C-alpha cells in the first residue's frame, strides 16, 4: 500500500474512532455519576453534609467525599441591611421594570462612595448623567409605553395592598397585550388597570370594581369594557370571584375574631349549597356574611361599618343578610 493510500485509509477511519472514543468517555462519565449517587459499600443513598463539607451515606455512615467546596458567600450577615451591604450581586430580574432590571440606575442621592456630599459642579454633572441615563433606558415608544404602564400598575397595587406576585402577573399580562397589539384605541391606564384586576382575581386576592376605580385614572365603564376585551383576546383563565376570598380582608379591617370569620365562611358555604349565590355580587354576599357572623358571635359591628369597609350599600347588606340566615337555618336542619 502506497503512502497516499495509507493516509486516505487513516483519514477515513479517524471519524469513526473519534466517535467511539466519545461514546466510551460518555459511558464512563455516566457510570461514575451513578456510582457517586449511591454508596459504594452498601448501595445506600448519599447526602451532602454542608456543615462539615462531607458526602455521607445515610445507611452505613460511610464518608464518601470530604473537604467539598463551599459555594456560598464567605461572609455572614445578621440582618437585611447588613446582607444588602455585603452582597456583591445585583437584584434578580423582574417583570415590574420595563427593562427587567438589567440596566443601570443612577441614584438620586448627591453623595460619593464615601458618603460625602458632592460639590455644585459635580451635582450638575450627575443630573445630566441621570437625564441621559433615562433617555438611554427608554429608547423607543414601546419601552416608554411599558415604563409608564408598569409604574401605574405598581402605584395602584400599592394603594390596594396587593402582594408582589399579583404585580408580576399583571406586568406579564400587560406585556402580552402590548406584544399582541391590543393597545391601539385604548388608554395605557385602562389596559394597565384591567391587567391588574385580572391578575388579582387569578391570584385569589380579588378587589371589587369600586375599589379598583378609586385608585385608577379610568372610570368603571372603560375598565369593564377593557377588561372583557383583554381577557377575550388573550384567552385568560379567570374564574368567577369567590365570596369567601373577601372575608379575611373584611374581617381583618373590622377587627373581628377568628370565630366570626369561620362563621362567615360557613354561612357562605351554606349559601352555595342552597344555590342562592348565583347572580349576586360576591362582595355583597361577603359583606352580609361578615355582618351576620358578627351578630352570631356577639361582635359589635354595625351595618354602616361593614358598608364602609366593603363599599356596598346597607340595603344590599340587609337583603343578603336575611337570605344567608335562611340558608344557614336550612343547612342546620339538613
Amino acid at each position: 500500500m502506497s503512502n497516499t493510500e495509507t493516509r486516505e485509509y487513516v483519514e477515513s477511519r479517524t471519524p469513526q474512532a473519534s466517535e467511539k472514543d466519545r461514546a466510551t468517555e460518555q459511558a464512563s462519565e455516566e457510570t461514575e455519576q451513578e456510582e457517586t449517587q449511591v454508596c459504594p459499600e452498601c448501595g445506600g443513598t448519599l447526602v451532602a453534609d454542608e456543615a462539615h463539607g462531607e458526602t455521607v451515606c445515610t445507611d452505613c455512615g460511610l464518608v464518601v467525599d470530604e473537604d467539598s467546596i463551599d459555594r456560598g458567600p464567605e461572609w455572614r450577615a445578621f440582618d437585611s441591611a447588613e446582607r444588602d451591604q455585603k452582597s456583591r450581586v445585583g437584584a434578580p430580574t423582574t417583570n415590574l421594570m420595563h427593562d427587567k432590571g438589567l440596566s443601570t440606575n443612577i441614584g438620586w442621592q448627591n453623595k460619593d462612595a464615601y458618603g460625602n456630599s458632592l460639590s455644585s459642579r459635580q451635582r450638575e454633572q450627575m443630573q445630566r448623567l441621570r437625564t441621559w441615563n433615562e433617555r438611554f433606558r427608554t429608547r423607543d415608544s414601546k419601552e416608554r409605553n411599558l415604563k409608564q404602564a408598569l409604574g401605574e400598575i405598581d402605584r395602584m397595587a400599592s394603594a390596594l395592598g396587593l402582594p408582589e406576585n399579583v404585580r408580576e402577573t399583571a406586568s406579564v399580562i400587560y406585556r402580552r397585550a402590548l406584544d399582541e397589539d391590543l393597545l391601539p384605541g385604548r388608554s395605557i391606564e385602562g389596559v394597565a388597570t384591567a391587567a391588574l384586576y385580572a391578575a388579582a382575581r387569578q391570584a385569589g386576592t380579588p378587589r371589587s370594581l369600586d375599589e379598583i376605580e378609586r385608585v385608577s385614572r379610568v372610570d368603571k365603564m372603560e375598565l369593564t369594557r377593557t377588561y372583557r376585551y383583554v381577557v377575550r383576546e388573550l384567552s385568560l383563565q379567570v374564574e368567577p370571584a369567590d365570596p369567601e376570598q373577601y372575608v379575611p380582608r373584611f374581617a381583618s379591617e373590622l377587627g373581628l375574631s377568628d370565630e366570626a370569620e369561620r362563621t362567615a365562611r360557613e354561612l357562605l358555604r351554606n349559601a352555595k349549597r342552597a344555590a342562592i349565590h348565583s347572580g349576586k355580587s360576591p362582595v355583597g354576599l361577603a359583606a352580609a356574611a361578615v355582618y351576620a357572623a358578627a351578630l352570631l358571635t356577639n361582635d359589635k359591628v354595625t351595618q354602616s361599618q361593614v358598608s364602609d369597609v366593603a363599599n356596598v350599600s346597607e340595603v344590599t347588606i340587609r337583603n343578603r343578610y336575611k337570605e344567608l340566615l335562611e340558608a344557614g337555618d336550612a343547612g342546620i336542619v339538613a
Side-chain angles (χ1 to χ4, degrees):
M1 183 181 296
S2 63
N3 294 334
T4 304
E5 293 176 350
T6 304
R7 186 167 55 254
E8 291 178 353
Y9 175 77
V10 171
E11 290 177 353
S12 63
R13 295 289 296 172
T14 301
Q16 298 179 1
S18 61
E19 290 178 1
K20 291 181 180 180
D21 293 339
R22 284 195 296 268
T24 305
E25 291 177 359
Q26 185 177 0
S28 62
E29 289 177 358
E30 292 178 355
T31 304
E32 291 177 358
Q33 186 175 3
E34 291 178 357
E35 290 178 354
T36 56
Q37 292 176 353
V38 297
C39 178
E41 293 291 335
C42 64
T45 305
L46 299 179
V47 295
D49 185 1
E50 297 180 357
H52 299 86
E54 298 173 346
T55 302
V56 186
C57 176
T58 56
D59 296 336
C60 65
L62 176 68
V63 179
V64 178
D65 188 18
E66 60 181 355
D67 297 332
S68 59
I69 299 175
D70 183 9
R71 303 186 184 278
E74 78 283 0
W75 44 263
R76 293 189 301 170
F78 300 97
D79 54 22
S80 58
E82 188 178 2
R83 186 180 300 107
D84 294 339
Q85 182 181 4
K86 291 184 176 182
S87 179
R88 294 187 294 273
V89 297
T93 57
T94 174
N95 287 309
L96 293 175
M97 301 181 70
H98 69 281
D99 53 7
K100 296 190 177 181
L102 297 176
S103 64
T104 302
N105 188 23
I106 301 176
W108 56 269
Q109 297 94 344
N110 289 318
K111 295 182 179 180
D112 59 11
Y114 299 99
N116 301 323
S117 298
L118 301 179
S119 63
S120 59
R121 183 178 179 182
Q122 289 174 330
R123 285 198 296 270
E124 292 175 359
Q125 292 177 346
M126 292 303 299
Q127 187 58 39
R128 287 197 295 270
L129 287 174
R130 292 190 190 96
T131 302
W132 281 105
N133 184 53
E134 287 298 321
R135 292 174 181 173
F136 285 131
R137 290 182 65 190
T138 54
R139 290 167 294 182
D140 52 22
S141 60
K142 183 176 180 180
E143 289 188 356
R144 287 193 295 271
N145 182 316
L146 195 57
K147 182 180 179 181
Q148 180 182 348
L150 296 182
E152 191 72 9
I153 289 174
D154 189 60
R155 181 190 64 81
M156 292 186 293
S158 298
L160 293 170
L162 292 173
E164 192 77 15
N165 63 317
V166 175
R167 306 181 192 199
E168 289 275 354
T169 305
S171 303
V172 173
I173 293 174
Y174 188 88
R175 287 175 186 272
R176 287 186 57 194
L178 185 62
D179 292 338
E180 298 190 18
D181 203 22
L182 302 183
L183 266 73
R186 292 166 182 83
S187 65
I188 295 175
E189 291 83 0
V191 179
T193 307
L196 184 64
Y197 180 61
R201 292 185 60 174
Q202 283 184 334
T205 56
R207 296 294 186 267
S208 64
L209 288 173
D210 294 328
E211 291 177 298
I212 296 288
E213 185 185 16
R214 281 204 305 268
V215 301
S216 176
R217 294 191 173 97
V218 296
D219 56 14
K220 186 186 294 187
M221 184 176 295
E222 182 181 352
L223 170 59
T224 53
R225 184 170 60 248
T226 307
Y227 168 73
R228 287 194 294 266
Y229 175 74
V230 169
V231 169
R232 182 178 66 251
E233 294 297 324
L234 297 181
S235 301
L236 300 178
Q237 301 297 324
V238 182
E239 298 180 356
D242 190 351
E244 288 190 42
Q245 295 174 341
Y246 294 93
V247 170
R249 183 160 56 91
F250 292 167
S252 176
E253 293 183 9
L254 291 169
L256 299 181
S257 61
D258 294 340
E259 182 183 1
E261 185 177 339
R262 287 194 299 270
T263 305
R265 291 178 181 274
E266 187 61 32
L267 288 172
L268 291 174
R269 294 191 185 104
N270 291 333
K272 291 178 184 178
R273 285 193 287 267
I276 67 172
H277 69 293
S278 179
K280 297 179 175 63
S281 170
V283 181
L285 282 173
V290 168
Y291 176 68
L295 294 183
L296 293 174
T297 56
N298 296 323
D299 285 346
K300 296 181 180 180
V301 173
T302 64
Q303 292 181 4
S304 177
Q305 291 174 322
V306 179
S307 175
D308 293 338
V309 168
N311 198 23
V312 296
S313 65
E314 297 182 21
V315 177
T316 302
I317 295 176
R318 283 194 292 270
N319 293 338
R320 301 295 174 264
Y321 158 74
K322 297 175 183 178
E323 297 172 356
L324 288 174
L325 288 182
E326 291 176 359
D329 294 339
I332 294 174
V333 172

